[in-house]
Amino acid sequence: LIYFLKFKNNLRKLIKFLITKITYVEHINHQKYLSASLTAFQVASKAKWLNELVNDKDVSLVYEKKEIISKEVGFDRVMRYQTIKPKNIPDWKRIISRANMNGNNSLYIIKKPILEGEFPIVNFKDQYIVDSLHWAEIHKIDAQGSYKHYRLFLQSFLNKLYENQIKKDKKTKFNLDYAMLLFNRWDHYGHWIPEHFTKIRRVLNLKSIPFSKIKFIVKKNIPKWQIELFKSLSINSSQIIEWEENTFDIENLIISSYPEGNYTDLNWIKSTLINYYKIKNKKPKIKVYISREKFGKRKVINEKEVTSYLKSMGFKIIYPELLTLKQQVEIFSSSEILVGPHGSGFVNSIFSSDAKIIEFFGDRVALDFYCYNKSLGNEWYCLLCEDVDNNMKVDLAKLKNLLNSIIKQ
């Protein structure tokens, strides 16, 4: 009750948010649901940023550097101080915004932390470290409100809700001298590359600890594209440790300030992979449509109509999940126009140069790729579509007008 009262101003919004997010809990009883909610409130109430703990003898700031946020000086300032909203998005649209970025890249080492949960949350002296989960003190969910530490709350909620339901393997105890956590519940392709891969960049700049001594904690059965990313940095398999709860004793946990998707980080990803795969600029450049037809949501329900038109305009239709990482880097680094529904495939736009991007949205507009592309100097356009049960119907006339205006520029 105390924790509910402490968060009473956001309680209604948080419960509504959970109901919209958790659509697969029919088999969970109400008592377990309430217990998970209480646990999550307790965790959120003990949230701390690492910069609040620098006076603790067991917390050390070992690296810090101010980075360039955007290639464009004016946009750099916008992302530092203002909420970002492109002009053609109506106020009634639900917006996930990135703002108040500071460009600080920091590394901390904390002594003997505890990692809790199937998707681990860092517990340091009964305080939960927010930096391991998200980058902004307030993560905006929509135009009307925001939830403080919502990722910390939601990850804790889900860990508690599904504890003891996941089959555990026979446990092997790991004693790690130096380790870095490289996953959370937001670690699929579109999140892991800009949010976790870039943490390793900070460690590469760390001179006080030999890079080969650092172990990287990942979830079980990581996909091939993630293995390729580790190889691009010469990280061998002995440095990669699969997470299992209650099996780790960590002497020193290295925690990065959560990556913001700034120009310096994004450009590092781009140059790292283009150099690793020895990709050369191709001419003429290509036009690409990124399909989500093989995914469960945010599909374009009139995609046949859309792709028929785009093919007549010389577009190549791709399904990123069917391509290797190298193929994706090759295609996007040679692209001049990218079109498609919002999704992870658009993270590949960071490999493009002087490109024009058209992103489709239904009832919600997420500005991650807008910020990424504006930071890198690409042009970004939003096409608002009719929302149909979490999918979208594209107005072909609007698409034709937008595309024609872009081509004429």
Side-chain angles (χ1 to χ4, degrees):
L1 179 61
I2 292 172
Y3 288 110
F4 272 103
L5 291 173
K6 187 169 184 177
F7 287 89
K8 62 182 179 180
N9 292 332
N10 278 330
L11 178 59
R12 181 182 57 81
K13 293 179 182 178
L14 280 164
I15 292 175
K16 183 179 179 181
F17 172 65
L18 285 172
I19 291 171
T20 61
K21 286 287 185 184
I22 314 305
T23 58
Y24 43 88
V25 294
E26 290 82 0
H27 60 288
I28 302 291
N29 63 48
H30 292 119
Q31 184 178 357
K32 192 168 182 66
Y33 197 94
L34 179 60
S35 174
S37 299
L38 283 168
T39 297
F41 276 113
Q42 291 173 357
V43 169
S45 74
K46 298 176 182 179
K48 288 289 184 181
W49 296 92
L50 279 169
N51 60 18
E52 298 179 277
L53 301 173
V54 289
N55 293 325
D56 190 295
K57 65 181 178 60
D58 293 324
V59 177
S60 303
L61 175 63
V62 293
Y63 174 83
E64 187 172 33
K65 186 177 180 180
K66 199 83 168 178
E67 304 285 13
I68 298 171
I69 293 179
S70 174
K71 189 176 181 180
E72 301 177 24
V73 176
F75 194 71
D76 186 293
R77 182 172 178 80
V78 168
M79 290 213 288
R80 287 180 190 275
Y81 302 113
Q82 300 178 27
T83 299
I84 301 166
K85 189 174 82 65
K87 294 179 181 179
N88 66 330
I89 300 177
D91 290 336
W92 54 266
K93 282 287 175 182
R94 291 199 301 149
I95 297 171
I96 293 182
S97 177
R98 282 179 174 259
N100 298 323
M101 299 166 75
N102 57 37
N104 283 336
N105 279 351
S106 306
L107 277 179
Y108 295 84
I109 292 180
I110 62 175
K111 298 281 187 182
K112 298 185 180 300
I114 298 170
L115 302 185
E116 299 180 357
E118 187 67 22
F119 286 82
I121 296 173
V122 181
N123 180 340
F124 175 70
K125 298 181 179 180
D126 202 31
Q127 300 168 110
Y128 293 90
I129 308 303
V130 189
D131 307 66
S132 65
L133 282 162
H134 56 128
W135 58 269
E137 187 165 352
I138 299 293
H139 185 108
K140 291 209 177 274
I141 304 302
D142 55 38
Q144 286 72 43
S146 62
Y147 309 109
K148 192 170 185 178
H149 309 319
Y150 108 90
R151 277 192 174 186
L152 185 67
F153 180 95
L154 184 57
Q155 183 159 308
S156 175
F157 173 84
L158 292 172
N159 279 345
K160 182 67 176 178
L161 194 66
Y162 291 101
E163 69 178 356
N164 303 324
Q165 292 192 21
I166 300 170
K167 184 180 179 181
K168 305 290 185 181
D169 296 330
K170 186 177 180 180
K171 293 180 178 178
T172 302
K173 200 73 174 179
F174 291 98
N175 296 297
L176 305 180
D177 192 9
Y178 291 97
M180 182 175 231
L181 182 62
L182 287 183
F183 81 104
N184 54 36
R185 284 190 177 271
W186 296 267
D187 72 342
H188 58 70
Y189 189 85
H191 280 283
W192 201 87
I193 291 178
E195 295 180 26
H196 297 281
F197 185 54
T198 47
K199 294 176 185 177
I200 306 173
R201 174 177 167 255
R202 286 102 162 120
V203 179
L204 288 169
N205 293 322
L206 190 61
K207 297 178 181 179
S208 58
I209 304 169
F211 185 72
S212 60
K213 288 189 175 182
I214 300 171
K215 305 296 185 184
F216 297 99
I217 302 172
V218 299
K219 69 180 181 182
K220 289 187 176 182
N221 303 315
I222 60 174
K224 290 181 179 178
W225 57 262
Q226 220 171 98
I227 295 171
E228 279 290 291
L229 287 166
F230 282 122
K231 286 181 178 178
S232 74
L233 299 179
S234 300
I235 296 173
N236 60 58
S237 58
S238 66
Q239 288 180 264
I240 302 170
I241 308 293
E242 292 185 340
W243 168 253
E244 186 173 347
E245 192 176 359
N246 299 322
T247 63
F248 285 67
D249 285 329
I250 301 172
E251 184 66 26
N252 300 284
L253 183 67
I254 304 170
I255 301 180
S256 168
S257 53
Y258 207 80
E260 303 169 323
N262 59 55
Y263 171 78
T264 314
D265 280 342
L266 298 174
N267 199 48
W268 174 79
I269 297 170
K270 180 179 181 177
S271 60
T272 296
L273 292 177
I274 286 177
N275 291 334
Y276 175 67
Y277 289 123
K278 299 178 181 178
I279 295 171
K280 297 181 180 180
N281 289 331
K282 292 182 180 180
K283 292 186 178 181
K285 289 196 170 186
I286 60 175
K287 298 186 282 286
V288 174
Y289 175 77
I290 307 166
S291 176
R292 284 183 63 88
E293 181 57 33
K294 301 182 185 302
F295 276 86
K297 62 180 181 179
R298 291 203 303 275
K299 295 180 181 180
V300 174
I301 62 174
N302 59 332
E303 186 164 273
K304 287 185 178 180
E305 182 184 17
V306 170
T307 54
S308 177
Y309 162 66
L310 291 174
K311 285 177 181 178
S312 73
M313 297 292 289
F315 275 75
K316 177 184 179 72
I317 314 301
I318 68 164
Y319 304 87
E321 68 276 11
L322 302 181
L323 303 173
T324 65
L325 180 62
K326 181 180 180 180
Q327 288 172 327
Q328 292 182 73
V329 177
E330 285 177 330
I331 289 171
F332 284 84
S333 63
S334 62
S335 300
E336 62 177 349
I337 300 178
L338 303 172
V339 177
H342 171 73
S344 285
F346 270 100
V347 80
N348 290 306
S349 62
I350 65 179
F351 303 118
S352 305
S353 300
D354 300 318
K356 298 173 181 179
I357 288 91
I358 300 176
E359 220 176 331
F360 303 160
F361 293 96
D363 72 335
R364 187 186 73 166
V365 177
L367 298 181
D368 298 73
F369 302 128
Y370 165 67
C371 292
Y372 292 175
N373 282 286
K374 289 287 286 184
S375 294
L376 290 168
N378 294 326
E379 295 180 27
W380 183 93
Y381 302 87
C382 169
L383 185 67
L384 299 176
C385 305
E386 178 186 349
D387 186 84
V388 183
D389 298 325
N390 289 321
N391 296 310
M392 58 192 83
K393 184 176 182 180
V394 175
D395 186 320
L396 195 57
K398 288 183 179 179
L399 175 59
K400 288 180 179 179
N401 289 336
L402 179 55
L403 191 57
N404 285 334
S405 68
I406 290 172
I407 292 173
K408 288 177 181 178
Q409 290 177 6

